[in-house]
Amino acid sequence: MTDKAIRHASVAIVGGGPTGISAATLLAQYGVDCLILDRWPGVYPQPRAVHLDDEIYRVVARLGIADEFAAISRPTLGLRLLDRRFKVLAEFNRDPSHSVHGFPQANMFDQPEFEALLRANLKRYPNVELRGNAEVTEIADSKGRVRVAFIDRCDGQVHLVEADYLLGCDGANSVVRSQIGSAMRDLNFEQRWLVVDVATDTDLHQWEGVHQVCDPLRAGTYMRIGPARYRWEFQLLAGESADDFDTLPALRPLIAPWTAGVADSELTLLRVAEYTFRAQVADRWRRDNVFILGDAAHLTPPFIGQGMGAGLRDAMNLAWKIAGVRNGSLAADVLDSYEQERKPHTRQLIRLALNVGRSMTGGGRLGDLVRRAVLPRLRLIPGLRDKVVDSTTPALRSSALVHKSHRPGELAGTLCPNPLLPGGRRLDDVVGTGFALITTGVLGSADEALLRRRGVAVLAANRDTELEKWLRQGRVAAAIVRPDRTVMRAGPDPADLCAWTATVLHAGES
């Protein structure tokens, strides 16, 4: 049966995971109404992602749940590299209180808890509807709009929705990706890993960071996720499967180095699953007003903990652009910048993850000998320790909304810092959801009025403040910052930036 009535929405989103819910929340903050269609009735109960960095924490704060996320997460203290005999090869410590973004650089959490927070927060926005048990079957053009057909899995009824934009946030097996004729391109990586989640009230008395076992025969990772939750990941050998490790006695040989002295009765095995880690990027991320985000657009190996975060970066990059095109403050062609910016950035992070994974576990016996010789000496190399624990991701490439000058210390494409400003509020809270000009100079009243008509806040970077030091390091006097906190353009003359910004942003509703 078909419901002949056609519903209308400004944006339809397929997939109610972290990427889809985040995109809808960000759009709702700009007053854009959204309909989310998710094939599951509620939050998927099994934990998958367990880590996000300070850049993504900043997105979480933008969603409005920073305090709630802090209550369900724990900062991790860094990375410890172990050899196959569990001797410490190197240790890289993080200070959870130190970050230019205002949040700890590495945070562990339980994904179902995080998704529950996202969905609870979504209820604050009456212009968003989340519909579960909705399986999308067809996507078609409809007089400049996008028509979506979906089946209500409860009663089998077929429904139709028309939207100005469609976001495919529907995971690795994306229906939206296939409907727009996009295909995944493989980056030549595939490994099978065992993922184990255990709960216990017994403290395992381990160092409160991530443990990486650099063993080419059986690479492994250990991390504490919460007060009573722990995760292990082990590379599976040929012929092995998750079924070989589905009981605590079978798992003991793998987890024994961390659980010695803890009885089976004190451990609750939550999940044993096999994951195939892949490195893939879709060849196209857009067809007309249909976009793909998250795992629908890219699959990232877990070695640097950026899988889920990449999807939230997609949402943060695209939402304000769609809102700007809708309200007339941005030209429609700026939507091309989504793929131009996000695709190379994602590819760089995937390659970084692959290189980290290979450096820790590859090379066979020779690689093992090299690691045992080199890793203990890394701490002696000036500045390298800071590089290892630095969570900064690559700058975005040039686009219509990233204008680079190629000067030393170029700021365009990078994230601006998020310091505490006079009055005790952070920059993100002061600026809100719009653009900002940060400057050490003085704007004329006409220039400032021009920016305000374009919806651009003006912030003074006072002497010896973090903002002033940041601009000075970039050898500029001013920077235009986008709503996603990426620097759009920076330069020595605030008036010149003001004039350029007026050519990019239109006056009106922005």
Side-chain angles (χ1 to χ4, degrees):
M1 295 180 63
T2 303
D3 181 355
K4 298 297 184 182
I6 300 177
R7 297 191 54 184
H8 297 273
S10 297
V11 179
I13 298 175
V14 183
T19 300
I21 299 295
S22 296
T25 304
L26 293 166
L27 286 163
Q29 290 175 352
Y30 291 104
V32 179
D33 63 285
C34 302
L35 172 65
I36 307 170
L37 303 172
D38 193 61
R39 70 189 307 266
W40 303 109
V43 171
Y44 184 73
Q46 297 293 353
R48 289 154 291 162
V50 294
H51 168 271
L52 59 79
D53 63 21
D54 51 334
E55 292 183 0
I56 302 304
Y57 206 142
R58 198 169 174 181
V59 177
V60 171
R62 170 68 174 272
L63 297 173
I65 54 172
D67 292 340
E68 292 86 347
F69 180 73
I72 66 161
S73 63
R74 58 188 298 116
T76 185
L77 300 184
L79 174 67
R80 178 177 282 179
L81 305 179
L82 310 170
D83 67 13
R84 59 185 175 180
R85 298 178 180 85
F86 290 83
K87 175 185 176 183
V88 178
L89 296 173
E91 185 173 297
F92 302 93
N93 294 293
R94 277 191 168 107
D95 178 0
S97 64
H98 176 70
S99 167
V100 296
H101 299 296
F103 302 102
Q105 290 181 295
N107 305 272
M108 313 307 295
F109 64 95
D110 176 60
Q111 184 170 336
E113 283 189 298
F114 178 53
E115 290 196 41
L117 284 183
L118 289 171
R119 291 187 176 214
N121 183 58
L122 192 68
K123 294 177 181 178
R124 296 168 49 199
Y125 300 95
N127 54 339
V128 178
E129 179 185 352
L130 170 59
R131 180 160 183 165
N133 282 313
E135 186 164 359
V136 171
T137 57
E138 187 178 359
I139 298 166
D141 295 329
S142 179
K143 298 179 181 179
R145 306 190 84 211
V146 185
R147 179 171 292 187
V148 181
F150 69 93
I151 298 173
D152 186 321
R153 298 172 72 191
C154 295
D155 59 15
Q157 187 87 0
V158 177
H159 301 266
L160 300 176
V161 177
E162 281 194 354
D164 296 323
Y165 299 91
L166 175 65
L167 309 187
C169 307
D170 50 341
N173 299 313
S174 171
V175 171
V176 177
R177 183 180 66 236
S178 63
Q179 291 272 332
I180 67 171
S182 176
M184 283 295 202
R185 300 304 180 194
D186 193 58
L187 300 182
N188 301 316
F189 177 85
E190 184 174 306
Q191 285 184 357
R192 296 184 310 117
W193 281 66
L194 184 74
V195 177
V196 178
D197 290 292
V198 170
T200 179
D201 291 326
T202 302
D203 194 330
L204 300 187
H205 300 292
Q206 299 293 328
W207 179 69
E208 293 290 340
V210 176
H211 300 198
Q212 176 65 51
V213 182
C214 302
D215 181 358
L217 298 179
R218 174 82 80 184
T221 307
Y222 157 88
M223 59 204 89
R224 185 172 185 170
I225 305 304
R229 185 185 290 270
Y230 300 83
R231 169 169 287 189
W232 287 266
E233 298 172 354
F234 299 100
Q235 189 172 358
L236 286 167
L237 308 182
E240 291 181 338
S241 72
D243 293 339
D244 299 321
F245 303 96
D246 60 358
T247 66
L248 280 170
L251 276 171
R252 275 295 187 179
L254 298 183
I255 66 174
W258 296 275
T259 60
V262 182
D264 283 2
S265 59
E266 298 176 87
L267 301 174
T268 300
L269 188 56
L270 300 176
R271 181 183 65 149
V272 177
E274 179 179 324
Y275 275 73
T276 300
F277 296 149
R278 293 185 172 90
Q280 296 179 334
V281 179
D283 56 3
R284 58 186 297 186
W285 293 28
R286 176 189 183 188
R287 188 188 73 190
D288 299 326
N289 282 355
V290 181
F291 301 81
I292 55 174
L293 300 79
D295 286 356
H298 42 73
L299 294 174
T300 306
F303 303 116
I304 56 174
Q306 288 289 338
M308 187 195 75
L312 268 64
R313 294 179 199 277
D314 295 342
M316 189 66 173
N317 185 287
L318 182 58
W320 63 271
K321 295 175 182 176
I322 289 176
V325 172
R326 280 183 51 80
N327 68 24
S329 62
L330 292 172
D333 59 4
V334 303
L335 295 177
D336 293 337
S337 68
Y338 166 63
E339 182 173 345
Q340 292 168 359
E341 294 172 359
R342 289 295 306 133
K343 190 174 182 179
H345 186 270
T346 302
R347 191 182 291 272
Q348 285 179 277
L349 284 183
I350 290 175
R351 286 176 174 157
L352 175 60
L354 292 176
N355 289 335
V356 168
R358 288 166 181 151
S359 67
M360 290 182 176
T361 63
R365 186 178 297 275
L366 176 60
D368 199 29
L369 291 172
V370 171
R371 280 185 288 272
R372 291 168 65 183
V374 173
L375 290 179
R377 294 169 174 80
L378 289 181
R379 62 182 178 82
L380 303 177
I381 302 175
L384 184 58
R385 176 177 295 273
D386 292 337
K387 287 290 185 183
V388 172
V389 298
D390 184 13
S391 59
T392 302
T393 63
L396 297 183
R397 300 277 183 89
S398 295
S399 73
L401 296 173
V402 174
H403 188 280
K404 296 193 174 186
S405 63
H406 305 294
R407 66 168 57 88
E410 174 64 79
L411 295 181
T414 67
L415 289 173
C416 76
N418 185 30
L420 287 171
L421 301 179
R425 299 173 67 199
R426 292 201 175 273
L427 179 142
D428 286 355
D429 297 324
V430 171
V431 173
T433 62
F435 291 80
L437 174 73
I438 303 171
T439 180
T440 57
V442 177
L443 277 180
S445 58
D447 285 336
E448 188 161 344
L450 175 62
L451 289 178
R452 296 199 185 282
R453 286 198 300 272
R454 299 298 196 269
V456 181
V458 178
L459 272 71
N462 297 324
R463 186 175 180 82
D464 293 329
T465 61
E466 288 186 51
L467 288 179
E468 188 269 342
K469 293 174 183 176
W470 169 66
L471 291 174
R472 181 156 32 90
Q473 288 170 357
R475 304 182 184 184
V476 296
I480 289 286
V481 177
R482 311 185 325 184
D484 60 2
R485 301 304 173 246
T486 300
V487 177
M488 188 159 67
R489 184 174 180 176
D493 185 355
D496 180 58
L497 255 62
C498 177
W500 177 83
T501 302
T503 67
V504 176
L505 297 178
H506 306 302
E509 300 176 53
S510 64

